[in-house]
């Protein structure tokens, strides 16, 4: 299934209290499309989002920037 991380994040957002950091684990590499979407979600919602994919951690901050610097 494509883009499952976005669904997981959407579900995580509604099932956790506002302001708490969100953690999502993905066993495949996050795609560029979702990477952009998650940056936007973090910025719009003001939540920190951490995505663990099969290569590394992505720490999306409230400023809409990812810790990987868009290289992964
Ligand atoms: Zn995707
Ligand atoms: Zn990243």
């Amino acid at each position: 299934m494509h883009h499952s991380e976005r669904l997981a994040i959407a579900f995580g957002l509604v099932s956790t209290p506002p302001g708490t950091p969100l953690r999502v684990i993905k066993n495949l590499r996050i795609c560029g499309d979702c990477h952009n979407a998650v940056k936007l979600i973090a910025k719009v919602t003001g939540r920190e989002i951490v995505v663990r994919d099969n290569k590394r951690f992505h720490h999306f901050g409230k400023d809409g920037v990812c810790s990987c610097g868009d290289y992964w």
Side-chain angles (χ1 to χ4, degrees):
M1 183 176 174
H2 292 296
H3 306 313
S4 58
E5 58 270 49
R6 268 191 265 188
L7 278 176
I9 287 162
F11 180 76
L13 285 173
V14 297
S15 61
T16 56
T20 53
L22 202 62
R23 278 175 183 275
V24 173
I25 296 170
K26 186 174 163 60
N27 51 18
L28 295 171
R29 186 178 172 277
I30 188 169
C31 75
D33 199 27
C34 285
H35 195 267
N36 274 332
V38 178
K39 279 198 287 191
L40 203 67
I41 292 167
K43 195 173 184 176
V44 168
T45 61
R47 307 262 298 244
E48 287 180 26
I49 302 174
V50 178
V51 178
R52 171 83 173 98
D53 74 5
N54 66 340
K55 290 253 183 204
R56 58 174 296 156
F57 282 96
H58 295 272
H59 191 130
F60 298 92
K62 296 165 195 167
D63 49 2
V65 175
C66 181
S67 62
C68 75
D70 289 335
Y71 295 98
W72 76 95

